[in-house]
Amino acid sequence: MDKETFKKRFETHSGDDLILMATKNAEKYNPEAVLAAKEILSDRNIDIEAIIENEKANELAAQEEFSDFNDEKSYIESLSPLDQMKYLSERRADFEENIEEIVELNNENLTDEEILLNFENILDAIKQNEGFGDLTEMHSKENYFLTSNIIEEKMIQIPFLFNDRIEFANQLARKDFRKKFNRSILFGLVLLTLGLVFAIGTGGGNLAMYIIIVTGITFCFRGFRGRIRLNNGSQNLLQAY
């Protein structure tokens, strides 16, 4: 199929789809198809060459970051087992505290196309690993949802090619949250039962028993509320738990 035929087929494609075709997914397509996508983008006054250059720069930055990662890995390996645990624990605690700010900063200066490319990398990693990664990994559940929120806030149109992978990630998230909500309910019921048993057994109980009962009710409420939101298809699951 020649370039002109491809151009006719791609005329109705969105700019985001064509950009992906001409950049990240270029190797998956016929060279004539890629050339057709670039020409359509140029006709739409989209500087695809600048986008390609930005992507190359991002890849170079990623390689440098990987080099820094290897340096840190070597440093960690040089520590004693006890010092390794202490160092990693401190890093994780700091990361947990600042995860939202870190994700926002990582996406702050990116174009819409670059944010979509980043999001696609997250989706690909989730699909490849058949699950979410650890908090410090790119395909963590937190990074997935926070990046999704950024895309929603910026009102970036997500290409339909992402839909299957997004649904896969959402199914994994629903399973994970369902387990957490069930654990919350179970823990709440245990506390509630213990509190009531001791309160009844001691003829009214004391302040500590009432605190346990209230805590149990709180956990049950959070768990049931989360399950209701989950069943209603709420996307803002991170705030639900």
Side-chain angles (χ1 to χ4, degrees):
M1 192 178 298
D2 60 18
K3 181 183 67 176
E4 295 304 320
T5 304
F6 280 120
K7 287 184 71 173
K8 291 179 181 179
R9 291 185 58 182
F10 297 161
E11 282 179 351
T12 58
H13 282 42
S14 69
D16 292 333
D17 288 340
L18 293 172
I19 289 171
L20 287 173
M21 189 182 301
T23 54
K24 182 177 177 62
N25 297 333
E27 294 181 357
K28 301 178 182 179
Y29 291 93
N30 184 301
E32 291 294 315
V34 175
L35 185 58
K38 288 182 177 180
E39 289 190 4
I40 294 173
L41 289 169
S42 296
D43 292 341
R44 296 180 185 179
N45 295 321
I46 297 176
D47 192 348
I48 184 60
E49 296 303 328
I51 293 174
I52 292 174
E53 288 301 318
N54 285 335
E55 184 176 350
K56 290 180 179 178
N58 290 335
E59 289 177 356
L60 181 60
Q63 292 175 1
E64 292 175 352
E65 184 177 347
F66 183 73
S67 177
D68 292 339
F69 170 79
N70 284 336
D71 291 340
E72 183 180 28
K73 182 180 178 183
S74 299
Y75 169 72
I76 294 173
E77 290 175 348
S78 70
L79 299 174
S80 67
L82 187 60
D83 287 337
Q84 285 183 10
M85 292 177 61
K86 181 180 178 181
Y87 177 80
L88 292 173
S89 177
E90 290 174 350
R91 286 296 305 273
R92 182 179 179 86
D94 181 65
F95 199 84
E96 286 179 344
E97 183 179 351
N98 300 289
I99 178 64
E100 187 168 353
E101 181 180 354
I102 291 171
V103 174
E104 288 179 354
L105 286 174
N106 287 341
N107 290 277
E108 185 177 21
N109 297 318
L110 299 182
T111 64
D112 291 354
E113 291 78 14
E114 289 169 337
I115 291 174
L116 282 175
L117 287 173
N118 182 41
F119 188 52
E120 185 176 27
N121 288 333
I122 295 172
L123 292 172
D124 287 342
I126 294 171
K127 186 75 173 179
Q128 182 178 356
N129 291 277
E130 297 184 347
F132 293 103
D134 186 71
L135 179 67
T136 57
E137 295 181 293
M138 177 186 68
H139 60 296
S140 69
K141 183 166 69 269
E142 291 79 7
N143 194 28
Y144 168 70
F145 276 103
L146 290 171
T147 304
S148 298
N149 290 340
I150 290 172
I151 290 174
E152 183 177 357
E153 290 171 2
K154 289 178 173 288
M155 293 185 291
I156 302 173
Q157 183 179 359
I158 297 178
F160 73 92
L161 296 173
F162 288 20
N163 289 349
D164 288 343
R165 284 168 289 177
I166 290 174
E167 179 57 29
F168 177 78
N170 286 342
Q171 286 179 358
L172 291 174
R174 282 192 287 269
K175 289 180 182 179
D176 186 51
F177 281 114
R178 188 175 291 110
K179 290 179 182 178
K180 288 187 176 181
F181 296 144
N182 288 340
R183 284 199 297 268
S184 180
I185 293 171
L186 179 60
F187 185 60
L189 290 175
V190 170
L191 289 178
L192 188 58
T193 301
L194 288 175
L196 290 173
V197 168
F198 280 106
I200 295 172
T202 56
N206 52 37
L207 180 60
M209 292 301 102
Y210 289 118
I211 291 175
I212 292 176
I213 291 173
V214 171
T215 303
I217 293 173
T218 301
F219 272 96
C220 286
F221 172 76
R222 290 173 62 186
F224 281 115
R225 182 186 63 177
R227 286 180 57 174
I228 291 172
R229 290 186 177 184
L230 191 62
N231 292 335
N232 290 339
S234 174
Q235 294 298 312
N236 200 11
L237 293 174
L238 283 179
Q239 295 182 8
Y241 189 76

mmCIF file of all heavy atoms in Angstrom, residues 6 8 14 24 40 51 55 60 62 70 87 107 109 123 128 133 147 155 177 190-191 194 215 232:
data_model
loop_
_atom_site.group_PDB
_atom_site.id
_atom_site.type_symbol
_atom_site.label_atom_id
_atom_site.label_comp_id
_atom_site.label_asym_id
_atom_site.label_seq_id
_atom_site.Cartn_x
_atom_site.Cartn_y
_atom_site.Cartn_z
ATOM 1 N N PHE A 6 -2.434 5.331 2.357
ATOM 2 C CA PHE A 6 -2.390 5.445 3.817
ATOM 3 C C PHE A 6 -2.955 6.792 4.271
ATOM 4 O O PHE A 6 -3.675 6.872 5.273
ATOM 5 C CB PHE A 6 -0.954 5.287 4.322
ATOM 6 C CG PHE A 6 -0.489 3.864 4.413
ATOM 7 C CD1 PHE A 6 0.605 3.425 3.677
ATOM 8 C CD2 PHE A 6 -1.144 2.958 5.235
ATOM 9 C CE1 PHE A 6 1.042 2.113 3.761
ATOM 10 C CE2 PHE A 6 -0.713 1.637 5.330
ATOM 11 C CZ PHE A 6 0.380 1.212 4.588
ATOM 12 N N LYS A 8 -5.228 8.605 2.926
ATOM 13 C CA LYS A 8 -6.688 8.586 2.852
ATOM 14 C C LYS A 8 -7.281 7.824 4.038
ATOM 15 O O LYS A 8 -8.318 8.209 4.584
ATOM 16 C CB LYS A 8 -7.135 7.951 1.537
ATOM 17 C CG LYS A 8 -6.823 8.796 0.308
ATOM 18 C CD LYS A 8 -7.266 8.093 -0.974
ATOM 19 C CE LYS A 8 -6.933 8.936 -2.200
ATOM 20 N NZ LYS A 8 -7.323 8.259 -3.461
ATOM 21 N N SER A 14 -7.144 10.849 14.940
ATOM 22 C CA SER A 14 -6.845 12.009 15.782
ATOM 23 C C SER A 14 -5.350 12.315 15.736
ATOM 24 O O SER A 14 -4.530 11.464 15.378
ATOM 25 C CB SER A 14 -7.260 11.736 17.231
ATOM 26 O OG SER A 14 -6.422 10.751 17.810
ATOM 27 N N LYS A 24 6.548 6.702 18.980
ATOM 28 C CA LYS A 24 6.779 5.507 19.792
ATOM 29 C C LYS A 24 6.468 4.213 19.050
ATOM 30 O O LYS A 24 7.174 3.214 19.204
ATOM 31 C CB LYS A 24 5.939 5.585 21.073
ATOM 32 C CG LYS A 24 6.148 4.414 22.016
ATOM 33 C CD LYS A 24 5.337 4.595 23.275
ATOM 34 C CE LYS A 24 5.481 3.387 24.185
ATOM 35 N NZ LYS A 24 6.861 3.179 24.620
ATOM 36 N N ILE A 40 0.335 14.170 7.299
ATOM 37 C CA ILE A 40 -0.979 14.629 7.775
ATOM 38 C C ILE A 40 -0.803 15.570 8.962
ATOM 39 O O ILE A 40 -1.468 16.607 9.065
ATOM 40 C CB ILE A 40 -1.865 13.428 8.165
ATOM 41 C CG1 ILE A 40 -2.205 12.591 6.931
ATOM 42 C CG2 ILE A 40 -3.153 13.907 8.833
ATOM 43 C CD1 ILE A 40 -2.943 11.301 7.251
ATOM 44 N N ILE A 51 8.506 17.137 17.987
ATOM 45 C CA ILE A 51 8.038 16.137 18.956
ATOM 46 C C ILE A 51 8.996 14.949 18.993
ATOM 47 O O ILE A 51 9.325 14.424 20.060
ATOM 48 C CB ILE A 51 6.614 15.676 18.591
ATOM 49 C CG1 ILE A 51 5.628 16.832 18.780
ATOM 50 C CG2 ILE A 51 6.195 14.482 19.446
ATOM 51 C CD1 ILE A 51 4.219 16.527 18.317
ATOM 52 N N GLU A 55 11.221 13.615 22.114
ATOM 53 C CA GLU A 55 11.175 12.228 22.578
ATOM 54 C C GLU A 55 12.584 11.651 22.695
ATOM 55 O O GLU A 55 12.898 10.944 23.653
ATOM 56 C CB GLU A 55 10.336 11.382 21.622
ATOM 57 C CG GLU A 55 10.159 9.947 22.108
ATOM 58 C CD GLU A 55 9.257 9.135 21.208
ATOM 59 O OE1 GLU A 55 8.626 9.725 20.320
ATOM 60 O OE2 GLU A 55 9.197 7.907 21.398
ATOM 61 N N LEU A 60 17.174 10.102 26.170
ATOM 62 C CA LEU A 60 18.530 10.337 26.660
ATOM 63 C C LEU A 60 18.522 10.636 28.152
ATOM 64 O O LEU A 60 19.360 10.131 28.906
ATOM 65 C CB LEU A 60 19.164 11.505 25.892
ATOM 66 C CG LEU A 60 20.607 11.868 26.276
ATOM 67 C CD1 LEU A 60 21.529 10.675 26.033
ATOM 68 C CD2 LEU A 60 21.081 13.077 25.480
ATOM 69 N N ALA A 62 16.297 9.619 30.221
ATOM 70 C CA ALA A 62 15.963 8.365 30.899
ATOM 71 C C ALA A 62 17.201 7.483 31.047
ATOM 72 O O ALA A 62 17.388 6.817 32.072
ATOM 73 C CB ALA A 62 14.877 7.627 30.125
ATOM 74 N N ASN A 70 21.941 3.024 38.606
ATOM 75 C CA ASN A 70 22.994 2.024 38.779
ATOM 76 C C ASN A 70 24.018 2.472 39.815
ATOM 77 O O ASN A 70 24.544 1.662 40.580
ATOM 78 C CB ASN A 70 23.684 1.755 37.439
ATOM 79 C CG ASN A 70 22.836 0.882 36.528
ATOM 80 O OD1 ASN A 70 21.997 0.132 37.003
ATOM 81 N ND2 ASN A 70 23.048 0.990 35.225
ATOM 82 N N TYR A 87 18.600 2.378 54.973
ATOM 83 C CA TYR A 87 18.631 3.318 53.852
ATOM 84 C C TYR A 87 17.367 3.195 53.001
ATOM 85 O O TYR A 87 16.722 4.196 52.661
ATOM 86 C CB TYR A 87 19.866 3.051 52.996
ATOM 87 C CG TYR A 87 19.973 3.921 51.765
ATOM 88 C CD1 TYR A 87 20.445 5.226 51.847
ATOM 89 C CD2 TYR A 87 19.590 3.441 50.510
ATOM 90 C CE1 TYR A 87 20.542 6.032 50.726
ATOM 91 C CE2 TYR A 87 19.678 4.235 49.383
ATOM 92 C CZ TYR A 87 20.154 5.525 49.494
ATOM 93 O OH TYR A 87 20.237 6.317 48.375
ATOM 94 N N ASN A 107 5.649 15.521 35.472
ATOM 95 C CA ASN A 107 4.785 15.812 34.324
ATOM 96 C C ASN A 107 4.600 17.309 34.079
ATOM 97 O O ASN A 107 3.957 17.696 33.103
ATOM 98 C CB ASN A 107 3.401 15.177 34.530
ATOM 99 C CG ASN A 107 3.429 13.664 34.430
ATOM 100 O OD1 ASN A 107 3.386 13.089 33.355
ATOM 101 N ND2 ASN A 107 3.516 13.003 35.581
ATOM 102 N N ASN A 109 6.456 19.911 33.100
ATOM 103 C CA ASN A 109 6.953 20.587 31.903
ATOM 104 C C ASN A 109 6.774 19.767 30.627
ATOM 105 O O ASN A 109 7.360 20.091 29.592
ATOM 106 C CB ASN A 109 8.441 20.927 32.084
ATOM 107 C CG ASN A 109 8.664 21.902 33.232
ATOM 108 O OD1 ASN A 109 7.909 22.857 33.397
ATOM 109 N ND2 ASN A 109 9.690 21.658 34.029
ATOM 110 N N LEU A 123 1.112 2.016 31.203
ATOM 111 C CA LEU A 123 0.156 0.971 30.822
ATOM 112 C C LEU A 123 0.872 -0.266 30.289
ATOM 113 O O LEU A 123 0.505 -1.404 30.620
ATOM 114 C CB LEU A 123 -0.811 1.510 29.766
ATOM 115 C CG LEU A 123 -1.799 2.586 30.219
ATOM 116 C CD1 LEU A 123 -2.557 3.151 29.022
ATOM 117 C CD2 LEU A 123 -2.779 2.023 31.238
ATOM 118 N N GLN A 128 2.662 -5.786 30.834
ATOM 119 C CA GLN A 128 3.779 -6.724 30.720
ATOM 120 C C GLN A 128 4.000 -7.496 32.020
ATOM 121 O O GLN A 128 4.295 -8.694 32.003
ATOM 122 C CB GLN A 128 5.052 -5.970 30.337
ATOM 123 C CG GLN A 128 6.266 -6.871 30.139
ATOM 124 C CD GLN A 128 7.498 -6.085 29.716
ATOM 125 O OE1 GLN A 128 7.428 -4.878 29.503
ATOM 126 N NE2 GLN A 128 8.620 -6.758 29.588
ATOM 127 N N GLY A 133 3.300 -2.254 40.008
ATOM 128 C CA GLY A 133 4.606 -2.392 40.627
ATOM 129 C C GLY A 133 4.629 -1.816 42.027
ATOM 130 O O GLY A 133 3.623 -1.333 42.555
ATOM 131 N N THR A 147 -1.208 9.955 37.396
ATOM 132 C CA THR A 147 -1.025 10.369 36.003
ATOM 133 C C THR A 147 -2.373 10.454 35.289
ATOM 134 O O THR A 147 -2.606 11.365 34.485
ATOM 135 C CB THR A 147 -0.100 9.382 35.263
ATOM 136 O OG1 THR A 147 1.145 9.272 35.967
ATOM 137 C CG2 THR A 147 0.182 9.867 33.841
ATOM 138 N N MET A 155 -7.551 17.750 30.539
ATOM 139 C CA MET A 155 -8.541 17.426 29.498
ATOM 140 C C MET A 155 -7.857 16.938 28.217
ATOM 141 O O MET A 155 -8.181 17.357 27.110
ATOM 142 C CB MET A 155 -9.444 18.634 29.218
ATOM 143 C CG MET A 155 -10.342 18.990 30.384
ATOM 144 S SD MET A 155 -11.515 20.320 30.039
ATOM 145 C CE MET A 155 -10.396 21.717 29.917
ATOM 146 N N PHE A 177 -8.308 -3.002 45.333
ATOM 147 C CA PHE A 177 -9.084 -2.201 46.273
ATOM 148 C C PHE A 177 -10.150 -3.039 46.977
ATOM 149 O O PHE A 177 -10.434 -2.822 48.154
ATOM 150 C CB PHE A 177 -9.738 -1.022 45.549
ATOM 151 C CG PHE A 177 -8.795 0.122 45.302
ATOM 152 C CD1 PHE A 177 -8.438 0.475 44.013
ATOM 153 C CD2 PHE A 177 -8.253 0.835 46.355
ATOM 154 C CE1 PHE A 177 -7.561 1.518 43.777
ATOM 155 C CE2 PHE A 177 -7.374 1.883 46.131
ATOM 156 C CZ PHE A 177 -7.025 2.223 44.837
ATOM 157 N N VAL A 190 -13.664 -7.212 63.816
ATOM 158 C CA VAL A 190 -12.901 -7.808 64.919
ATOM 159 C C VAL A 190 -12.808 -6.827 66.084
ATOM 160 O O VAL A 190 -13.048 -7.185 67.248
ATOM 161 C CB VAL A 190 -11.491 -8.223 64.444
ATOM 162 C CG1 VAL A 190 -10.619 -8.602 65.635
ATOM 163 C CG2 VAL A 190 -11.579 -9.385 63.472
ATOM 164 N N LEU A 191 -12.451 -5.574 65.781
ATOM 165 C CA LEU A 191 -12.350 -4.561 66.837
ATOM 166 C C LEU A 191 -13.705 -4.324 67.498
ATOM 167 O O LEU A 191 -13.800 -4.206 68.732
ATOM 168 C CB LEU A 191 -11.828 -3.245 66.253
ATOM 169 C CG LEU A 191 -10.362 -3.208 65.818
ATOM 170 C CD1 LEU A 191 -10.031 -1.843 65.220
ATOM 171 C CD2 LEU A 191 -9.440 -3.491 66.997
ATOM 172 N N LEU A 194 -14.557 -7.325 69.746
ATOM 173 C CA LEU A 194 -13.749 -7.312 70.969
ATOM 174 C C LEU A 194 -14.212 -6.219 71.922
ATOM 175 O O LEU A 194 -14.332 -6.437 73.143
ATOM 176 C CB LEU A 194 -12.269 -7.098 70.617
ATOM 177 C CG LEU A 194 -11.539 -8.269 69.960
ATOM 178 C CD1 LEU A 194 -10.132 -7.858 69.555
ATOM 179 C CD2 LEU A 194 -11.481 -9.460 70.919
ATOM 180 N N THR A 215 -13.347 2.839 66.779
ATOM 181 C CA THR A 215 -12.356 2.542 65.739
ATOM 182 C C THR A 215 -12.859 1.433 64.819
ATOM 183 O O THR A 215 -12.707 1.501 63.594
ATOM 184 C CB THR A 215 -11.017 2.124 66.370
ATOM 185 O OG1 THR A 215 -10.554 3.164 67.237
ATOM 186 C CG2 THR A 215 -9.966 1.870 65.293
ATOM 187 N N ASN A 232 -20.060 1.208 42.245
ATOM 188 C CA ASN A 232 -20.642 2.276 41.423
ATOM 189 C C ASN A 232 -19.703 2.742 40.326
ATOM 190 O O ASN A 232 -20.019 3.653 39.568
ATOM 191 C CB ASN A 232 -21.025 3.472 42.301
ATOM 192 C CG ASN A 232 -22.218 3.160 43.189
ATOM 193 O OD1 ASN A 232 -22.993 2.253 42.909
ATOM 194 N ND2 ASN A 232 -22.355 3.906 44.277
#
